[in-house]
Amino acid sequence: MSYIEKKYFQKITEIFDELIESDTKLLELIRYKSFSKVNEIAQVLAALNKKINLILKKYYPEIKALNEKLEIKSTMKFYYDLLHNLTDFVRNVENFKNIDDRYYESLIDFIEKKDYLIKNKYKEIVSRELTSFYDKKSRDNLERILASKLQLKERNYFTFGGLEEEIKKIGILNGASKITFQKIDEELKLKSDIKDANTVIIYEINDNDYSIKLEKITQTIKKYLESKDYEAIIKSNSIITNAKLHEFEDTSQY
C-alpha cells in the first residue's frame, strides 16, 4: 500500500470512529419517539452526510487494495441506508399525526445491529459488486488487448515476435522485397557515428517507386529501433545500429 493510501485509509478509519458518536446520538433521539426531536435528528444526519461525502469524494478513490475497499464500502453502505431511512422520516414526519412505535423500534434495531449488518449483509453485497466491477474491468482490458492484437495482425505490423522479426515485417510492410542483417565490419564501424555499432540492416526493393519506398523503409525502421532505445543511422540503402541482430529462419507469411 502506498503512503497516500495508508494516510487516507487512516483518515477514513478516524471518520468511522467519529460516526460512532452519531450512532449513539441518533439512538438517543429516536428513543424519545417524539416529533419534537426531528430537527435534532436532521442536524445529526447533515453532519453524518458531510463526513460520508468527504470519504466518498476525497479519500475512497485513492484506495486500491480490495480488502480495504471491501471494508470501507461495506460500512458506507450501512450509512447510506441509515441516511435514506432517517431522511425519509424527517421529510415525511409532518404528514403524520402519529407514528407507530414499531417504526421507531425498527430504526433503533437497525442502528443497534450495525456491526452485524456490515459483517453479514453489506460485506456480501459489496463483495459481489467489487468482483463484478473488477471482472468487467478485466474483461474490458482483455477485449482491448485482443482487439489490438487483431488489428496488428491485420496490419501485419508490430506483432509480438523477436526484434529481427519485427524489423523484417516493418520493412516488408513498407515496400521492401527482402531484409537482411549483417555483422558490421571494422572499417564501416570506424566510419559510423555509433561507437558500439553491431549490425547493418540491408533492404532490397523491387519497384519503380524505389526512392519513395527507400525513404519510408529507412525512416520507419530507424524510428522503431530508437523507440527500443537503440541507436540507428541511415547509410545509403542500409541502417547501421548498435542492436545485435542475427539472421533467422523466416517461416512467417508477410
Side-chain angles (χ1 to χ4, degrees):
M1 185 185 290
S2 67
Y3 169 77
I4 194 69
E5 281 185 84
K6 289 179 181 178
K7 180 180 177 181
Y8 281 7
F9 183 74
Q10 181 60 36
K11 290 284 187 183
I12 293 170
T13 302
E14 290 171 2
I15 292 174
F16 283 159
D17 288 341
E18 293 171 5
L19 291 181
I20 293 173
E21 295 181 16
S22 300
D23 301 342
T24 303
K25 184 64 177 177
L26 286 171
L27 280 172
E28 177 188 329
L29 293 169
I30 294 169
R31 285 187 175 119
Y32 278 100
K33 300 179 181 178
S34 170
F35 290 171
S36 65
K37 300 298 178 180
V38 169
N39 288 339
E40 290 180 69
I41 291 174
Q43 290 173 3
V44 177
L45 292 179
L48 192 159
N49 186 58
K50 186 176 180 180
K51 290 178 180 179
I52 290 297
N53 282 335
L54 177 62
I55 293 174
L56 183 63
K57 294 178 180 178
K58 182 175 181 179
Y59 300 131
Y60 182 75
E62 296 296 331
I63 305 300
K64 308 302 180 186
L66 281 178
N67 55 333
E68 276 81 19
K69 290 175 80 72
L70 176 62
E71 182 178 339
I72 295 164
K73 203 169 181 182
S74 299
T75 302
M76 289 177 70
K77 267 201 176 294
F78 167 81
Y79 281 110
Y80 291 152
D81 281 356
L82 178 62
L83 284 165
H84 173 76
N85 292 335
L86 287 177
T87 300
D88 186 64
F89 166 71
V90 170
R91 185 185 297 115
N92 294 305
V93 70
E94 294 180 355
N95 298 326
F96 300 98
K97 293 181 179 179
N98 293 296
I99 294 180
D100 195 304
D101 278 0
R102 287 175 295 180
Y103 179 79
Y104 290 110
E105 292 298 334
S106 67
L107 294 175
I108 292 168
D109 185 60
F110 181 79
I111 298 171
E112 288 182 334
K113 288 183 177 179
K114 169 186 169 181
D115 292 339
Y116 175 85
L117 291 169
I118 290 172
K119 181 179 179 181
N120 295 283
K121 176 182 178 181
Y122 294 111
K123 274 196 175 180
E124 183 178 346
I125 294 170
V126 172
S127 180
R128 289 198 300 268
E129 289 177 352
L130 288 173
T131 300
S132 174
F133 173 79
Y134 281 98
D135 281 353
K136 184 180 185 302
K137 189 174 180 180
S138 297
R139 289 196 301 272
D140 289 344
N141 286 337
L142 180 58
E143 286 175 7
R144 282 194 293 271
I145 291 169
L146 290 174
S148 175
K149 286 188 176 182
L150 287 171
Q151 184 181 20
L152 294 173
K153 184 177 179 182
E154 289 171 1
R155 294 189 314 177
N156 201 14
Y157 191 40
F158 287 126
T159 55
F160 303 96
L163 188 62
E164 292 88 350
E165 185 179 358
E166 297 300 324
I167 292 170
K168 286 200 172 190
K169 289 191 175 183
I170 292 169
I172 298 298
L173 179 67
N174 285 282
S177 57
K178 187 176 182 181
I179 300 284
T180 57
F181 309 114
Q182 294 181 5
K183 182 176 175 60
I184 193 168
D185 59 44
E186 289 302 318
E187 183 179 354
L188 185 56
K189 187 173 183 178
L190 290 171
K191 291 179 181 179
S192 74
D193 297 325
I194 302 175
K195 294 180 179 179
D196 57 345
N198 286 297
T199 309
V200 181
I201 304 171
I202 301 172
Y203 24 89
E204 298 177 10
I205 304 170
N206 298 326
D207 200 287
N208 293 330
D209 298 326
Y210 179 87
S211 60
I212 296 174
K213 290 189 175 179
L214 178 64
E215 176 68 15
K216 189 175 181 182
I217 294 164
T218 52
Q219 291 297 333
T220 307
I221 293 177
K222 183 176 183 292
K223 287 179 181 178
Y224 174 72
L225 286 166
E226 289 172 344
S227 74
K228 299 295 184 181
D229 295 324
Y230 292 110
E231 292 183 76
I233 59 171
I234 299 168
K235 292 288 185 181
S236 186
N237 65 330
S238 64
I239 293 176
I240 297 173
T241 178
N242 60 340
K244 291 183 179 180
L245 304 173
H246 307 281
E247 284 300 322
F248 65 98
E249 185 179 353
D250 187 0
T251 58
S252 62
Q253 298 296 318
Y254 296 115

